[in-house]
Structure formats: structure tokens, C-alpha cells
Amino acid sequence: IVNEILRLNEDPNVQGLALDLPESLYSSKVLNAVKPEKDVDGLSDVNLGRLVRGDAYDCLVPPTACAVMELLEDLGGKTVLLVGAGGAVGAALQCMLQREGAATLSCRWKAPQLQTKLLHADVVVVGSTKPDDVPGSWIKPGTTIISYSRDLLSEKHSYGRQNNHAAENAVGSLAIAMRMQNMVKNTERWIQSQQYRKWDLRCLKLQPLSPVPSDIEISRAQRPKAVDVLAKEIGLLTDEIEIYGQTKAKVRLSLLERLKDQPDGKYVLVAGITPTPLGEGKSTVTIGLVQALTAHLNINSFACLRQPSQGPTFGVKGGAAGGGYAQVIPMEEFNLHLTGDIHAITAANNLLAAAIDARILHENTQSDKALYNRLVPVVNGVRGFSAIQLARLRRLGINKTDPGTLTEEEISRFARLDIDPSTITWQRVVDTNDRFLRKITVGQANTEKGFVRQAQFDIAVASEIMAILALATSLQDMKERLGKMVVANDKKGEPITAEDLGVTGALAVLMKDAIKPTLMQTLEGTPVFVHAGPFANIAHGNSSVLADKIALKLVGEKGFVVTEAGFGADIGMEKFFNIKCRASGLVPSVVVLVATVRALKMHGGGPNVTAGAPLKKEYTEENLQLVADGCCNLQKQIQIAQLFGVPVVVALNVFKTDSPAEVDLVCKIAKQSGAFDAVPCNHWSAGGRGAVKLAQAVEKAANQKNSFKYLYSLELPIVEKIRIIAQKVYGAQDIELSPAAQSQVDCYTRQGFGNLPICMAKTHLSLSHQPERKGVPTGFILPISDVRASIGAGFIYPLVGTMSTMPGLPTRPCFYDIDLDPITEQVKGLF
């Protein structure tokens, strides 16, 4: 019985539980197994405790007790005797009678003082069958007698002989009505719980220190809220989260259906100037902005961030949780494993890679008949196609369902994919910077029968499955996109997909939990979604559509969702608008463009910077001319944002070496160049308080007229779309396609992929294709060396020059500083 109760407790389609059990089974264990909010009989200790405490709204009162009270009137000053009325119903009656001003006594049938108490009682409430040895003459004339028993609700009556049967029936009927009333109350509560709820967020206090400690010291000094508490504060239901440890939880997509009629909040994108080794701090600005909005301006806000790859975390870049007093906590959990999404992508990606090579091997070593017999085996005397095989038959135009009826020609077409090994574009992945996997040979064991080919590993976040995770709008959409992934061509030049290989369902199974965003929090206790982390060069470099959509519903109409785009605005922002916004249908309200005085100095002609070496005086002393010269890059990025019709607010991350004159100059030039506002920010050293002016500027900008538009029409030819991005965004004079690139463009157009958006794979270190050219290069021809496609993700990606998809480790990687204390289990050395 308890197991069944526990099962029904967790069933979201059951709003109430009523127990009709034999008397002997009404144990405390059984009664308290029912969730208090589903306990329509009001018999659990929690509901009884709420009744005693006076929380009438929160509690459900036992229906029998309500029925008895309904029949009694004018109890003030009267003496009420409860006989044989024990358990939760008896306790509830005592509480309710005392509230009505009655003097309440309780007695067992066998009690020696029963006769005396019966003679003095004005009202007798009987909770169990009267023994034969208790005569009716013990009750004084005119006494009101009401009898009830636990089985009233089942209409199995067993009353004492002295009672009026009309009254008995009245209690039974009323108790049934009161239980129905509890059910209605419960259902009303459930309906109310499904509506959007105002946030009741308790922000965490910050006490910034000077000098600012290391990121991990700051993270560890703050005690995060339990994630289930945070979830409740922002209006998530208990059945909408899956908790991982104390500080992380997956959020189920069912929330989108529940809040489908809730208006979206404002949508803010954080982008940056062209990156330099000196860093701009987009993640830090994103976190600082939401801390300012929610903890200091009392405006609902959500940050949506990408999950960092462990490759750079152990390589040279370090973590990506923000920094200083504007970060996601716990930062070690954010940067390491999180909830396993990248591992799920790795497993799914490599399953598909294994399927490709295995299929080629089996087709090379078997006849059509043998291949067909193994693909469609007899199982328990029955031979049948699987669902994915039937779908392949339909795509081939073979409308048969009986494996025995296919002709030899149909068997050959069905069983053979005829993959051309030279066209395989699907690579294996691992989430580690490992330069020696950039080119490998597979199939060298004797068991692979001479099928040897050159291949490579990419870093896991470069997998197309990661891009699909970031762009999918539902589980169904993700599954369809996984099936559409093109992994190679056949020997006739037609695309081979994951669906052709029969692996779509298995990939979806591996990804079913990864599609749910992970809820975490900032240092000031405001909510963060961490979800997806596609490469920002060969993919679009943005966190997931689903995280943004869920957050936009949760913040409410006046709230803000702040997300960031990888690299500079010319890359991450352009892809956010032209690829992500097309997939999601969402319209951004504001772009926050992040810059630093130091980075602008480099764009103005400042000397090169070497990692780990002291900065040269140009970067630590005031140099207004260098700043002014470098602002050309900031101006260009503002102009790029204006191409899309979205207001721009410049966030200037202030360092202690920046002079007031340099800060003022940048803000002045930004406003003159068309920015709605430009604001110096100190959130790194002060937390959300240091970004309040930025938050106020963003709030004002979000109320401006928005004339958002895409840069190009999807109907344009592939080459023309590439040219528009090169000329309007990068400032190129023109583009030049290599013969291989032109051949691929022609192939994709012929295969029906010409109407996809473009995802340029280009260096992030310059607006041009030459990383050393800072500022705003002009007059260059953009060379397109190759063109590839991520059909499942839904974009074509031209390669500008060579593009590495597997980073390498430097001479001194970050892992030298990372360690674990075996006693406290604390991680050291992350930054």
C-alpha cells in the first residue's frame, strides 16, 4: 500500500489521494506516506499540525471532522464529550471544537469515569461502535448525539443502537461531500500552482574584499542556497527539477507547456569587441549585470551561459564562470563535468562514428543477401523491420513491410549505403586538448580486414551534436535534427545521414537528459542556466535556445534574460542573430557590447602581449592617443549591431590601471558612434553593486523602439550570403572561393541545402582572416578555402583559411596548478 501511495505521490496527473482501507491498516506509516498536498482525507501529521497551528488555508481538514462540525451549532460554553474518537479525526475534532468555544473532553468506552462524563455532556460525539454493556440511560435527556466511524466515507455504517439513523446518514453524506470539497480545494490549488508565480528570491549578501582574492577563494567563501530552494523561489514546481547534488538541477522542458501563455521577458545579448589576449570579460559582465538587476534593482533576471569545455579548463584559458565578485558558484562544479552533458555528446558522437566505419566494413565483406539477413534477422521465429528501417524503406520508395517480399534489387538498395570513405566528414571527439589526435589512422588491426583510413579527433564541443543541442526547440526537434546529420556521401554523391545508419533513436536516448538546462546561481544568489557550449568558430558559439526560452517565461514580462555570444560581435553576435534567432523565433531587446581600455589600446597599435609576462607601460599608464586609435574597433562593432536594428549599450570593464580620462574618452566615443549609452563597470571588484548603472542603462534601452531584422534572406545563393557577411560585417572588399570551396557550394546546392544560414569559420582575433591585423582592417579579399555543412544543426560553414578543431596543450598547462585536498576534497588552482 505504501509503495502504491508513493507512486501516486509522484504522478503529476494525480492531484489528490483518498484512502478507503480496513481499520487495521490505518497506521501512522500509511497515513504519513501520502504527500500532505495530496492528502484529501487530511489524516497526515503535517495536515493535522497545520490545523492545530491555525493555518486553515494550507491544511486539509479530515472530512468526517468537518461533517460533525457542520451538524453542530452554538457550541459556546457547552461541554462536548468525544467517546472512542481517537487518531487524526479525534484530534482534529478536539481542535475545531475548542476553537468554537466548547469545553472538550475525551474518553474511551472502557474508562471508569465514562458514566459521569456522559451525564454532564451537552453533546456526545461517538467515534466507534458502542459496546453492549454501556446503557443508553447513562446519557441525560436532550443530549445531542452524533456518531461517526472511519468507514463512513465508504458508506459501510456500524453505529451504536441508541443513535438516530437520520443523523448517522447525515454525517456519512456530509463527510462524502466534505471530501469532495477537499478534492475541489486541492484541484484549485493545483491549477493555481500551474500559473506563473511571482518570485520570492532571497539574494545572498556580498562583502567584497580589497585586494580581490582569487576566483576560487571568492566562490568558496560564499555559501550557495540549496538548489531546490532557489527553484522554489523562482516559481519552479518540485516535479520540474531533477536535482544533482546540492547546487545543481536539471529543469524539465514541461515548464514551457505550463507557462506557454506567460509573456516573455526582455532578451539581452552580451557581445564584445574583437578579442585580444588581454581579455574583455563578457561572462563577467553577464553575471555582474544580472546580479545588479536582481539583487540591487529588484528586477527578475536570468543569466544563460555556455557550459565550458574541460579542454581549455586544463589547458590555457581556465574556467568560464565569470570572475571576481561576478561569477557562477560553485565555480569548480561549473567548470568540471557539471551534469555530464558534454560526456553525453561525446558518447553520442562516437557511437555515430563507430557506426559509420562498422557499416563500411560489413558492406565490404558480405554479399547483399548475407548483409540483409543480418540487418533484418529472425527473432523468436519472427522476422520484421524496426521502425527506423521502415522509415528508410519509405525514403527509398519501397512501400513494403514484410521482409520476405523485397526483390533482390530492393534488398541491395536497402542494405547498402555505399559510403564513399573519402567523403566522411564525421569525426570522433574527446573533451581534452590533445594535439596528437589532429590526424590519426583507424582500422589498423587485422580484424578490420585492411579497411584503413585517415581520420581525426575534434574537441567534443566542436561536435555537430553540441550545435544541435544549442539550437533544438524541443526533444522532438532535437531527434529530427540528429537524424538529418550528414556524415558522408555515397558513391553517387548523395548524402548519407544518421537516419540512414539507423542510429537516430539511440543518439536521442543518449541525449535525453542533456537537453534539459542546468540551474545554478551567481555569487548573489540569482539564477543562472548553464546549457550547451558550441565552438564559436565552426559553430555559432551561443548557449541553448531552450535555456533562453525557459528563462524568458520564468522572469515574467518585466524581467530580463541575459545571454552571451562567443568571441567578438562580428562572429558571436552575427551568428546569434542570423542563426540562433532564426531557430528560436526570439527577438533581442538590447546588445551589451563589452570593451576594456587595455584591449582597445592593443587595437590602437599597442605592443603584443605574451601570456605570463608583465604588461608593458603602454597598458599600465595613461595613453589617450592609443585609446582613441583603438576605439575604431569599438565603433565598428557598434555599427555591426546597428545593422540588425538593436539598441547598443557599451559596458566598459574598468581596471585599476585605467585613468579616469581614458574611461571618459571611451564612453564619449561610444555614444558619438551611436551607442544608446556607455557605462563604466566595477562588478569584478564590487559585485552587482558595481554594475547598477549598466543595469539601469540596459533597462532604459530595452524600452526603446526595436527594429530587429536579419542581415540576409535565406533564399539568396550560398555565395551571396557569404559575400554579404564578409562585406557588411567584416569590412572585406570581396570574397574569393577556392575550387574546392566552389565545388562544395555546388554540391550542397544540388543536394537541396542552399537555403540554410551561414556560419563563418574564421579567426576571432581580427575582423579579417589575418589574426595579426587589429583595429579595423580594410581592402582585403576574404579567402574561402572550403565549405562544409552541419545539416542537422541547420547551417553551412565556410572555412576562412585553416581552422583547428582540436586545441593543443601549451608548454605549461593550467593542470600544473590544479590539485585536490584529499581530506577536505576541495579543488585547488582553478581560475
Side-chain angles (χ1 to χ4, degrees):
I1 291 170
V2 169
N3 285 341
E4 180 63 10
I5 290 171
L6 295 176
R7 185 187 70 79
L8 293 168
N9 279 344
E10 301 308 315
D11 187 340
N13 297 312
V14 174
Q15 274 74 58
L17 280 178
L19 303 181
D20 283 322
L21 301 171
E23 186 76 22
S24 60
L25 292 178
Y26 278 95
S27 65
S28 176
K29 180 179 180 181
V30 170
L31 295 177
N32 288 309
V34 181
K35 267 189 176 179
E37 57 268 29
K38 293 191 178 186
D39 176 22
V40 295
D41 287 333
L43 299 174
S44 68
D45 289 351
V46 172
N47 272 316
L48 187 59
R50 287 171 177 167
L51 175 65
V52 171
R53 200 171 58 193
D55 294 341
Y57 177 78
D58 285 333
C59 74
L60 290 165
V61 181
T64 304
C66 287
V68 171
M69 294 302 296
E70 192 75 17
L71 292 171
L72 294 173
E73 294 177 348
D74 301 326
L75 288 169
K78 291 184 178 179
T79 300
V80 179
L81 177 64
L82 303 177
V83 187
V89 176
L93 271 171
Q94 282 204 49
C95 176
M96 296 167 80
L97 287 164
Q98 287 168 1
R99 286 230 179 97
E100 292 298 318
T104 308
L105 304 171
S106 182
C107 191
R108 293 177 290 108
W109 286 115
K110 299 292 185 184
Q113 67 272 39
L114 175 62
Q115 183 175 1
T116 304
K117 288 185 176 180
L118 284 171
L119 284 170
H120 289 92
D122 301 308
V123 178
V124 176
V125 179
V126 180
S128 57
T129 305
K130 181 183 77 66
D132 291 338
D133 59 353
V134 177
S137 59
W138 286 10
I139 302 172
K140 70 180 179 182
T143 301
T144 302
I145 305 169
I146 294 180
S147 175
Y148 76 88
S149 65
R150 192 182 296 281
D151 48 17
L152 273 173
L153 293 171
S154 304
E155 299 185 349
K156 302 177 210 158
H157 299 176
S158 56
Y159 313 119
R161 286 193 295 271
Q162 86 281 11
N163 294 320
N164 179 292
H165 283 276
E168 296 166 2
N169 289 334
V171 174
S173 301
L174 268 174
I176 291 167
M178 294 300 180
R179 177 192 264 178
M180 291 174 68
Q181 196 171 64
N182 274 358
M183 289 178 178
V184 170
K185 183 178 179 180
N186 240 27
T187 307
E188 284 175 340
R189 273 191 196 166
W190 178 83
I191 291 169
Q192 192 175 4
S193 77
Q194 299 302 298
Q195 309 305 309
Y196 176 79
R197 279 188 284 175
K198 187 179 177 183
W199 285 18
D200 183 23
L201 192 70
R202 176 184 63 86
C203 293
L204 303 177
K205 298 297 181 186
L206 269 188
Q207 295 179 320
L209 301 176
S210 182
V212 176
S214 71
D215 289 351
I216 198 161
E217 287 174 317
I218 293 171
S219 172
R220 198 159 284 150
Q222 184 68 291
R223 184 182 179 89
K225 292 179 280 191
V227 73
D228 58 330
V229 172
L230 173 64
K232 186 176 181 181
E233 289 177 345
I234 60 174
L236 285 163
L237 306 182
T238 52
D239 61 359
E240 287 174 339
I241 61 169
E242 298 168 7
I243 295 175
Y244 285 63
Q246 296 295 312
T247 56
K248 307 185 294 289
K250 286 283 193 184
V251 175
R252 292 177 180 158
L253 308 189
S254 57
L255 178 142
L256 285 171
E257 177 63 25
R258 175 170 70 88
L259 296 182
K260 63 183 177 183
D261 297 324
Q262 166 68 20
D264 288 348
K266 300 288 197 302
Y267 196 25
V268 180
L269 175 70
V270 175
I273 61 171
T274 302
T276 70
L278 293 163
E280 289 68 57
K282 294 191 299 296
S283 299
T284 311
V285 167
T286 302
I287 301 303
L289 176 53
V290 294
Q291 288 181 177
L293 282 165
T294 302
H296 299 274
L297 297 181
N298 202 28
I299 298 170
N300 291 356
S301 72
F302 233 110
C304 291
L305 299 178
R306 291 174 293 165
Q307 179 184 352
S309 163
Q310 284 177 197
T313 298
F314 290 104
V316 68
K317 184 176 182 292
Y325 287 100
Q327 45 173 316
V328 181
I329 56 171
M331 66 96 77
E332 59 267 45
E333 293 189 27
F334 177 92
N335 287 311
L336 302 173
H337 302 297
L338 199 63
T339 46
D341 294 356
I342 292 179
H343 302 314
I345 288 163
T346 302
N349 185 99
N350 293 346
L351 175 64
L352 180 52
I356 296 166
D357 287 326
R359 186 59 175 263
I360 294 172
L361 170 71
H362 293 310
E363 287 189 22
N364 284 347
T365 55
Q366 297 178 62
S367 66
D368 288 354
K369 185 177 180 182
L371 192 62
Y372 184 64
N373 287 341
R374 286 186 170 91
L375 286 169
V376 194
V378 176
V379 179
N380 296 327
V382 179
R383 192 179 194 191
F385 294 113
S386 68
I388 202 164
Q389 288 177 324
L390 288 169
R392 172 163 166 75
L393 286 169
R394 288 193 294 271
R395 289 197 304 278
L396 293 171
I398 303 171
N399 297 312
K400 296 179 180 179
T401 57
D402 183 352
T405 60
L406 268 65
T407 65
E408 286 187 6
E409 186 266 341
E410 289 169 341
I411 286 173
S412 180
R413 286 172 57 211
F414 169 79
R416 293 202 175 273
L417 297 179
D418 277 332
I419 296 171
D420 180 352
S422 69
T423 66
I424 295 173
T425 55
W426 196 262
Q427 311 297 347
R428 289 165 174 83
V429 299
V430 64
D431 196 30
T432 304
N433 290 5
D434 192 344
R435 64 176 67 244
F436 281 88
L437 295 178
R438 289 170 178 169
K439 182 176 280 190
I440 59 171
T441 303
V442 296
Q444 290 188 322
N446 293 334
T447 49
E448 276 46 76
K449 302 177 182 178
F451 171 57
V452 177
R453 68 178 183 91
Q454 278 203 337
Q456 68 184 60
F457 268 79
D458 294 336
I459 196 159
V461 292
S463 171
E464 184 177 348
I465 296 176
M466 175 63 93
I468 287 172
L469 177 67
L471 290 170
T473 56
S474 66
L475 193 55
Q476 181 62 34
D477 180 45
M478 181 181 74
K479 186 178 175 184
E480 289 172 5
R481 287 173 179 268
L482 290 170
K484 289 177 185 174
M485 294 187 301
V486 173
V487 299
N489 289 339
D490 64 18
K491 289 169 184 173
K492 295 177 182 175
E494 295 303 314
I496 299 294
T497 65
E499 187 81 3
D500 292 324
L501 284 156
V503 75
T504 307
L507 300 181
V509 167
L510 288 169
M511 293 293 294
K512 72 179 180 66
D513 291 320
I515 197 172
K516 303 164 192 169
T518 299
L519 177 66
M520 293 189 75
Q521 62 194 285
T522 68
L523 277 166
E524 298 193 50
T526 68
V528 178
F529 273 141
V530 188
H531 199 215
F535 237 34
N537 47 22
I538 66 162
H540 61 294
N542 289 255
S543 63
S544 78
V545 165
L546 281 167
D548 292 356
K549 286 197 163 194
I550 292 173
L552 284 164
K553 294 297 182 190
L554 285 171
V555 295
E557 194 169 6
K558 294 182 180 178
F560 285 80
V561 171
V562 184
T563 187
E564 67 165 304
F567 297 148
D570 56 305
I571 295 181
M573 182 186 71
E574 181 271 317
K575 293 173 181 179
F576 174 87
F577 289 144
N578 284 320
I579 297 174
K580 185 176 179 181
C581 288
R582 285 187 204 266
S584 68
L586 299 173
V587 175
S589 309
V590 185
V591 168
V592 174
L593 197 58
V594 182
T596 65
V597 166
R598 301 192 310 181
L600 290 171
K601 284 180 176 179
M602 178 168 270
H603 282 296
N608 289 333
V609 173
T610 305
L615 289 177
K616 296 183 178 175
K617 63 180 178 62
E618 286 86 350
Y619 298 113
T620 58
E621 298 175 4
E622 183 178 290
N623 191 325
L624 295 176
Q625 187 58 51
L626 210 52
V627 173
D629 291 345
C631 278
C632 63
N633 187 272
L634 176 61
Q635 291 171 301
K636 174 64 176 173
Q637 304 288 11
I638 293 171
Q639 290 164 12
I640 294 169
Q642 290 172 333
L643 290 173
F644 297 92
V646 182
V648 179
V649 173
V650 171
L652 185 65
N653 255 337
V654 176
F655 287 74
K656 62 182 179 182
T657 54
D658 300 344
S659 75
E662 289 173 328
V663 170
D664 291 344
L665 179 61
V666 173
C667 292
K668 179 183 174 184
I669 291 173
K671 292 175 189 175
Q672 290 173 345
S673 304
F676 174 81
D677 204 348
V679 186
C681 305
N682 296 289
H683 46 269
W684 182 80
S685 58
R689 191 174 301 283
V692 167
K693 288 183 179 178
L694 173 64
Q696 291 168 334
V698 167
E699 186 183 13
K700 289 177 186 174
N703 293 320
Q704 299 297 300
K705 184 181 177 183
N706 190 322
S707 52
F708 174 69
K709 57 185 179 292
Y710 300 120
L711 188 63
Y712 52 78
S713 165
L714 294 181
E715 308 303 316
L716 291 172
I718 291 173
V719 172
E720 190 53 36
K721 286 183 280 196
I722 298 171
R723 182 174 284 112
I724 288 172
I725 295 171
Q727 293 178 333
K728 292 192 174 181
V729 177
Y730 306 150
Q733 184 178 324
D734 203 354
I735 60 173
E736 183 177 29
L737 272 71
S738 70
Q742 186 61 57
S743 173
Q744 282 298 100
V745 167
D746 295 341
C747 176
Y748 292 138
T749 305
R750 177 178 54 79
Q751 290 175 342
F753 304 138
N755 287 349
L756 294 176
I758 302 300
C759 183
M760 298 292 285
K762 180 186 82 69
T763 178
H764 58 287
L765 298 173
S766 172
L767 285 161
S768 73
H769 56 288
Q770 297 164 300
E772 68 279 2
R773 295 187 68 178
K774 304 300 180 189
V776 182
T778 56
F780 58 93
I781 306 293
L782 195 73
I784 309 298
S785 59
D786 200 359
V787 176
R788 296 177 191 166
S790 291
I791 303 303
F795 51 73
I796 303 288
Y797 64 98
L799 272 65
V800 180
T802 57
M803 189 60 55
S804 174
T805 51
M806 172 55 82
L809 290 172
T811 306
R812 193 186 190 283
C814 298
F815 61 63
Y816 276 92
D817 302 308
I818 295 172
D819 200 1
L820 181 71
D821 186 318
I823 297 172
T824 64
E825 297 186 15
Q826 286 192 338
V827 177
K828 303 175 183 177
L830 280 179
F831 68 95

